[in-house]
Amino acid sequence: MIFFNHLFAEYRRKQALKKLTESSAIKSYLSHSLPKGNELIKELEFLVLDFETTGLNAMDDQIISMGYTVIKSLHVMPTTSTHILINPNKQLTEDNVGIHQLTDDELKKGVSLSHAMNVLLAEMTDRVVIVHFDAIEKGFINQACRALYQMRSLPMIMIDTLKIEQLKIRQTHGTIKPDGLRLYALREKYHLPRYKAHNAMQDAIATAELFLAQIDYTGSVNSLKLKDLI
């Protein structure tokens, strides 16, 4: 199944590339092959990504901040950690501000979604994307691609740390506690420290550290392949 999923993603990448004529960030991204399932985890680079959004519906809500960091040689690269504010061009509700602590004045100074996607596509190139709960990032990335590039969905390889944990629990016949798969609950499970700050970059770093703890737990880091995690 993984083999065919990769083949389909590569097919979609090549087909989408054929439709682009002018040089652009999306064309540059699509010009590179996607990472293959039989590649060793220790030899891959990963972009660990987190979005803050105005809601959970990618069709109606907007990305208001993006945070990411890079894992290379199974180490988080601190100098790559980045936080970008994105102007949604609409006023936030009190609920939004309460959750993300981002105000309208702060976001007015943010970049456009187009600029943010240009940055993101450059960072995603030749890398596997890691997130926690992929429905959010995958949904909002694809919606941005529809709006900006008239592309239904972006060919990409994405690992979900939540799904890694679900698989582990099924294999060990364990039980899932309420809220037990939340990012900070899993960090506690792997004896990782709790971060005081809460923003997209901090959550991306938190996810990166969780991912490294999860693969270390397997005891087979040197032989683990990408297909074992997707």
Side-chain angles (χ1 to χ4, degrees):
M1 179 63 73
I2 293 168
F3 173 74
F4 288 109
N5 286 343
H6 181 271
L7 280 183
F8 183 60
E10 270 293 283
Y11 172 78
R12 288 193 299 111
R13 179 189 68 80
K14 292 175 182 177
Q15 291 301 110
L17 182 60
K18 289 179 181 178
K19 298 177 183 179
L20 299 174
T21 54
E22 296 182 4
S23 178
S24 62
I26 186 67
K27 184 174 183 179
S28 177
Y29 171 79
L30 292 172
S31 297
H32 294 252
S33 297
L34 297 171
K36 297 178 177 60
N38 62 358
E39 293 188 66
L40 291 172
I41 291 295
K42 66 179 183 179
E43 295 176 357
L44 289 168
E45 286 193 18
F46 301 88
L47 183 75
V48 192
L49 176 67
D50 185 78
F51 290 155
E52 300 287 358
T53 63
T54 58
L56 301 179
N57 187 339
M59 296 292 290
D60 299 321
D61 294 305
Q62 286 81 39
I63 306 169
I64 54 176
S65 74
M66 174 175 75
Y68 60 81
T69 194
V70 171
I71 292 175
K72 184 176 181 180
S73 301
L74 298 183
H75 289 85
V76 178
M77 310 300 287
T79 58
T80 67
S81 300
T82 303
H83 188 229
I84 298 174
L85 296 182
I86 302 169
N87 187 346
N89 293 312
K90 65 179 289 188
Q91 194 166 11
L92 298 180
T93 66
E94 289 184 9
D95 289 342
N96 294 147
V97 177
I99 294 171
H100 305 301
Q101 305 298 311
L102 293 172
T103 66
D104 288 315
D105 288 341
E106 287 176 308
L107 292 179
K108 284 178 182 177
K109 300 175 185 176
V111 302
S112 66
L113 177 63
S114 176
H115 178 89
M117 284 299 295
N118 286 348
V119 173
L120 179 58
L121 289 169
E123 294 293 341
M124 286 176 61
T125 300
D126 292 328
R127 289 171 173 154
V128 176
V129 180
I130 298 176
V131 300
H132 188 77
F133 187 52
D134 63 7
I136 297 297
E137 281 74 21
K138 190 175 290 183
F140 279 90
I141 287 174
N142 286 334
Q143 178 58 24
C145 286
R146 286 190 285 270
L148 297 172
Y149 317 121
Q150 293 73 55
M151 180 183 295
R152 185 175 179 182
S153 62
L154 182 70
M156 55 184 164
I157 303 298
M158 184 176 283
I159 289 175
D160 186 348
T161 50
L162 185 151
K163 290 179 179 176
I164 290 175
E165 201 63 27
Q166 283 179 322
L167 178 60
K168 173 190 164 186
I169 291 170
R170 285 198 300 268
Q171 290 174 337
T172 57
H173 306 289
T175 58
I176 300 175
K177 298 178 182 179
D179 294 330
L181 292 175
R182 293 176 67 87
L183 176 58
Y184 290 99
L186 290 180
R187 284 182 60 83
E188 184 176 337
K189 179 178 179 179
Y190 285 91
H191 308 292
L192 295 168
R194 177 182 286 269
Y195 284 114
K196 293 181 180 179
H198 177 79
N199 63 41
M201 185 185 77
Q202 207 68 52
D203 284 351
I205 295 170
T207 300
E209 293 175 347
L210 172 61
F211 172 73
L212 293 175
Q214 286 176 318
I215 62 171
D216 184 63
Y217 177 86
T218 67
S220 57
V221 172
N222 289 328
S223 60
L224 199 65
K225 295 182 178 180
L226 178 58
K227 65 182 180 181
D228 298 322
L229 301 176
I230 56 176

